[in-house]
Amino acid sequence: MPDRISLLPDNIANQIAAGEVIQRPASAVKELLENAVDAGATEIKLFINDAGKALVQVTDNGSGMSETDARMCFERHATSKIKNIDDLFHIRTMGFRGEALASIAAVAQVELRTKRDTDETATCIEIENSAVLKQSPVAAPTGTSIAMKNLFFNVPARRNFLKSNAAEMRHVIDEFMRVALAFPEIFFSLTNNGQEVFHLEGGSLKGRILQLLGTYYNAKVVSVKEETDYLNVYGFVGKPETAKRTRGDQYFFVNNRFIKSAYLNHAVMNAYQSMIGSDSFPMYVLFIDLNPEQVDVNVHPTKQEIKFEDEKIVYAFIQAAVKHALAQFSITPTLDFELNASIQGLDAIQQPFTDEKRSATTGSTIFQTFTEANQAHKIDPGHTELKHWSSYDQSSLKGASTPAAEKTSKENFYSLSSAFAPAEAVALIQIFSTYILVPSAENFLLVHQQAAHERIIYERLMAAVEGRPMSTQQSLFPTSLQLSPGDTAILQELLPDLQQMGYIIEPFGTNAFVIQGTPADMNSSNEKEVIEKVLEQYKHFSSELKLSKREMLLRSVAAQGAIRSGVTLSEREMQNLLSDLFACAVPNSTASGRPTYLEFKKEALEKMFGR
Ligand SMILES: Nc1ncnc2c1ncn2[C@@H]1O[C@H](COP(=O)(O)OP(=O)(O)OP(=O)(O)O)[C@@H](O)[C@H]1O
Ligand SMILES: [Mg+2]
């Protein structure tokens, strides 16, 4: 038997190794920006074409490289940043593995131009498939420019795995924002398809936060600053009222390196305690500086996960620092106590409630109209003559997700939908301005108005993107929309789909848009807020679920366009909502799987009453 093992050629080995470091255009953005920071640049410019699939280029005014280093930098394990393993625990640079450029050169076409201050001419190197194609002296300013073109041109399978431009651009912007936040004193710009979307002059951390996360946070953040011998924590946290429904604006940096840590996030959440709801997420940008010996940054190729020597101390420290900051700026709910005190002082509360007072109250016209109005809505058996309602199959109401169940429920509900012809008087009752009570002979339904409307809009939008365009209602007073540069880039990618759904949104200057029209039949009272929430939700979905871009968009728009809980509906509106719901292909749940209604059986009620 012949021997079978052979060494892989360098370029193949590099391609395989590159998989860990360079997964998408955004990975290259991170690596190139970090190299520029490590080179001591004070001005860093990022250029993106086609969401980075065609071009990711970073130019800096940093140290530059000698001619030899310019060739060396593409070798695997070639680095100027560490010399031995001990250095790893004194590391102050972002890079140290010496594999980012080798990885990029293995999976893309790369052009490097670099010049040191002391050199006359710059060196230009073109490289692809890990092989140098050309090297020549050129004229260029001091610093370095690296252009990565046509990522994965030589690994088609991986190129096919790249997501839509909107999704890839979101990753690019995420990485850009992380580096730009970590180094507020450096100038950064981002130019996307020839248009400059970020232009960030160097300055304070607070200034950088406002540039990146929106001026909205001005006067809405409090500063955190605690110093000890062991570690320092500084940065900003949002006041409780700025907490959002999605966890977008949360950043930890350890020795200026962006990291992800559910554990430390928990420490911050704990510090807010009862100040915010359990389902909302406060903004924070927190820097933790400690002796590099206390952290291992080499646990993951992308360096976004790290290990602390003593995680518990860091946790306790962050929690205390954030708590302290929030208390210091008296954001703790002292207001509530004051309010309570003044309520306690009111006459009506201080006096005992007597029988005399009771009869005065129940005799009042307000009390009577209120109770009479309620009685008028009492369930009158004479009104619930919809015999065919009792025919629906209870089993179909459960297990909404199996195709078989969907089919049964649809068939059974067709007969239902005819029951909701507006001419027919069905006594519908709205409860808590949230549910619609739909009675029949053998059971009743509680329909969740918001969930039901969400399902209806979702199916309409689905039909729209499948080629039956949604009609648009023109806005009488077009609203303008000012977005952060990051959101602008995302919205631009979404415009064609949104248009098919009935939105007319036009670009209007830098980071601004005008909403000229919205889909007909949708809650459009505040179209601006709807679009902002759609962007917010879109980001939320894309980080948590593996859904297609279109599906995410459909769900976001449906969720935002639906009537809210707490809105009083007329009889007619309730009728329409129900007939639309039961005309849906899958009436019993929203696209994300929450029930649109629950069914209560008469039989079960009787059992509960011991009958
Ligand atoms: N923009 C730049 N300016 C000056 N030198 C650079 C620049 N980019 C890279 N280099 C040099 O090339 C070397 C290799 O870069 P590369 O990103 O591959 O590795 P690294 O930064 O040392 O480690 P890591 O793989 O962890 O990023 C660096 O150590 C540095 O000396
Ligand atoms: Mg590097």
Side-chain angles (χ1 to χ4, degrees):
M1 268 260 243
D3 297 331
R4 293 182 304 164
I5 300 179
S6 62
L7 279 177
L8 288 173
D10 269 358
N11 64 330
I12 307 281
N14 281 342
Q15 260 184 28
I16 292 172
E20 287 191 332
V21 188
I22 306 296
Q23 284 137 9
R24 47 170 28 105
S27 327
V29 167
K30 170 178 183 289
E31 296 301 336
L32 295 178
L33 290 177
E34 288 187 349
N35 279 349
V37 169
D38 284 347
T42 56
E43 253 190 50
I44 302 176
K45 294 177 185 162
L46 170 64
F47 300 87
I48 297 291
N49 280 350
D50 198 15
K53 294 171 184 171
L55 174 76
V56 173
Q57 180 174 14
V58 172
T59 66
D60 69 54
N61 64 350
S63 62
M65 284 179 261
S66 70
E67 196 185 330
T68 319
D69 284 353
R71 277 190 85 113
M72 267 298 277
C73 72
F74 292 107
E75 296 292 330
R76 188 157 295 276
H77 314 304
T79 180
S80 57
K81 299 172 191 174
I82 59 171
K83 297 244 181 292
N84 54 53
I85 197 70
D86 280 350
D87 293 348
L88 202 54
F89 294 95
H90 301 105
I91 194 98
R92 286 283 173 193
T93 51
M94 297 293 107
F96 55 82
R97 297 170 61 104
E99 56 183 11
L101 291 184
S103 300
I104 290 173
V107 291
Q109 297 155 338
V110 181
E111 190 183 304
L112 162 75
R113 281 159 194 264
T114 188
K115 182 179 107 55
R116 294 179 302 181
D117 200 20
T118 46
D119 294 334
E120 287 276 294
T121 53
T123 308
C124 173
I125 288 181
E126 284 173 40
I127 184 165
E128 74 175 48
N129 252 331
S130 303
V132 176
L133 300 184
K134 204 173 137 195
Q135 176 173 349
S136 54
V138 291
T142 299
T144 302
S145 159
I146 301 187
M148 179 190 84
K149 296 174 194 163
N150 303 319
L151 178 62
F152 300 137
F153 79 101
N154 52 352
V155 204
R158 301 199 53 199
R159 192 167 173 92
N160 292 339
F161 268 107
L162 293 179
K163 300 268 169 53
S164 69
N165 280 8
E168 293 300 343
M169 196 57 202
R170 198 183 95 81
H171 288 292
V172 166
I173 289 168
D174 278 352
E175 295 295 355
F176 175 82
M177 286 177 61
R178 290 165 184 173
V179 180
L181 270 177
F183 299 94
E185 65 286 356
I186 300 179
F187 168 91
F188 284 95
S189 69
L190 164 53
T191 302
N192 182 28
N193 293 328
Q195 198 186 345
E196 191 178 65
V197 288
F198 286 98
H199 183 98
L200 313 173
E201 296 293 348
S204 67
L205 173 60
K206 174 137 183 215
R208 185 57 51 93
I209 290 175
L210 300 183
Q211 287 170 326
L212 284 170
L213 305 182
T215 43
Y216 157 82
Y217 281 115
N218 199 8
K220 293 210 166 96
V221 292
V222 293
S223 125
V224 178
K225 192 167 169 55
E226 302 285 340
E227 295 184 353
T228 66
D229 289 345
Y230 184 72
L231 86 170
N232 300 337
V233 176
Y234 66 94
F236 291 89
V237 295
K239 292 185 179 174
E241 73 257 27
T242 64
K244 292 187 178 176
R245 296 219 335 271
T246 57
R247 59 170 83 236
D249 303 334
Q250 303 188 328
Y251 299 86
F252 280 120
F253 298 90
V254 172
N255 293 345
N256 282 76
R257 190 186 300 286
F258 170 82
I259 59 143
K260 295 179 179 164
S261 169
Y263 183 70
L264 296 186
N265 175 62
H266 192 262
V268 178
M269 294 302 279
N270 243 343
Y272 277 84
Q273 271 180 354
S274 54
M275 282 179 244
I276 56 172
S278 59
D279 57 347
S280 45
F281 303 94
M283 168 272 195
Y284 59 82
V285 179
L286 290 174
F287 289 76
I288 302 155
D289 281 0
L290 75 175
N291 187 333
E293 284 179 30
Q294 299 292 329
V295 246
D296 186 352
V297 287
N298 194 29
V299 290
H300 194 266
T302 63
K303 312 179 188 96
Q304 287 187 353
E305 286 159 38
I306 60 166
K307 253 206 190 103
F308 291 102
E309 176 84 11
D310 190 340
E311 206 174 36
K312 290 208 180 91
I313 292 189
V314 183
Y315 182 103
F317 204 81
I318 290 195
Q319 187 182 353
V322 174
K323 247 191 188 159
H324 187 201
L326 291 174
Q328 220 176 9
F329 290 80
S330 58
I331 303 167
T332 29
T334 45
L335 254 185
D336 289 353
F337 294 128
E338 278 162 29
L339 196 68
N340 266 344
S342 55
I343 290 174
Q344 293 300 332
L346 288 177
D347 257 16
I349 286 178
Q350 298 211 321
Q351 288 167 15
F353 192 65
T354 59
D355 277 353
E356 196 191 337
K357 284 199 174 117
R358 183 195 308 275
S359 60
T361 314
T362 52
S364 75
T365 45
I366 293 182
F367 183 84
Q368 282 178 354
T369 42
F370 180 73
T371 48
E372 273 161 22
N374 271 351
Q375 271 156 10
H377 284 277
K378 250 185 161 168
I379 303 173
D380 175 356
H383 281 247
T384 55
E385 283 170 353
L386 292 158
K387 296 278 185 318
H388 44 303
W389 278 45
S390 53
S391 69
Y392 52 82
D393 174 12
Q394 280 81 32
S395 65
S396 69
L397 298 179
K398 294 142 206 150
S401 51
T402 68
E406 276 172 18
K407 189 159 173 286
T408 351
S409 74
K410 189 176 173 185
E411 279 164 7
N412 285 312
F413 280 116
Y414 271 137
S415 61
L416 271 182
S417 64
S418 62
F420 290 115
E424 222 167 320
V426 184
L428 297 172
I429 300 150
Q430 196 187 15
I431 305 173
F432 310 139
S433 308
T434 297
Y435 303 99
I436 303 169
L437 177 69
V438 192
S440 80
E442 293 301 323
N443 36 31
F444 66 88
L445 303 185
L446 269 188
V447 178
H448 193 284
Q449 65 191 43
Q450 187 174 343
H453 199 210
E454 202 178 311
R455 161 55 66 182
I456 295 164
I457 297 179
Y458 175 82
E459 293 205 1
R460 284 200 189 136
L461 293 174
M462 177 78 93
V465 296
E466 280 169 0
R468 276 159 288 164
M470 190 102 160
S471 53
T472 295
Q473 64 200 39
Q474 290 276 342
S475 311
L476 280 182
F477 306 101
T479 0
S480 65
L481 194 63
Q482 187 72 42
L483 297 178
S484 72
D487 285 351
T488 299
I490 296 170
L491 184 61
Q492 249 151 6
E493 300 289 348
L494 296 176
L495 282 185
D497 277 337
L498 281 170
Q499 189 172 3
Q500 225 171 344
M501 294 180 186
Y503 279 100
I504 306 177
I505 302 176
E506 285 158 7
F508 188 71
T510 323
N511 301 328
F513 295 85
V514 182
I515 307 172
Q516 304 276 16
T518 53
D521 304 329
M522 259 179 56
N523 175 9
S524 62
S525 50
N526 194 347
E527 50 218 13
K528 179 169 170 248
E529 201 182 331
V530 170
I531 293 293
E532 282 166 356
K533 291 221 174 108
V534 164
L535 286 171
E536 186 81 358
Q537 275 228 324
Y538 182 81
K539 290 189 269 184
H540 170 66
F541 279 135
S542 63
S543 59
E544 311 221 326
L545 293 170
K546 291 247 180 300
L547 296 171
S548 75
K549 168 187 150 201
R550 189 161 270 184
E551 178 69 20
M552 286 186 318
L553 190 61
L554 288 176
R555 288 189 186 188
S556 305
V557 177
Q560 289 315 320
I563 37 158
R564 301 279 139 199
S565 300
V567 175
T568 312
L569 300 180
S570 69
E571 178 77 20
R572 181 64 171 260
E573 286 168 325
M574 291 194 276
Q575 299 279 5
N576 287 343
L577 187 75
L578 292 178
S579 59
D580 287 348
L581 176 66
F582 292 117
C584 282
V586 186
N588 42 3
S589 73
T590 66
S592 50
R594 290 205 244 172
T596 50
Y597 61 81
L598 297 175
E599 187 215 12
F600 297 85
K601 281 198 269 177
K602 183 179 169 200
E603 206 183 291
L605 281 181
E606 284 178 343
K607 261 194 208 137
M608 289 163 90
F609 282 104
R611 303 278 149 169

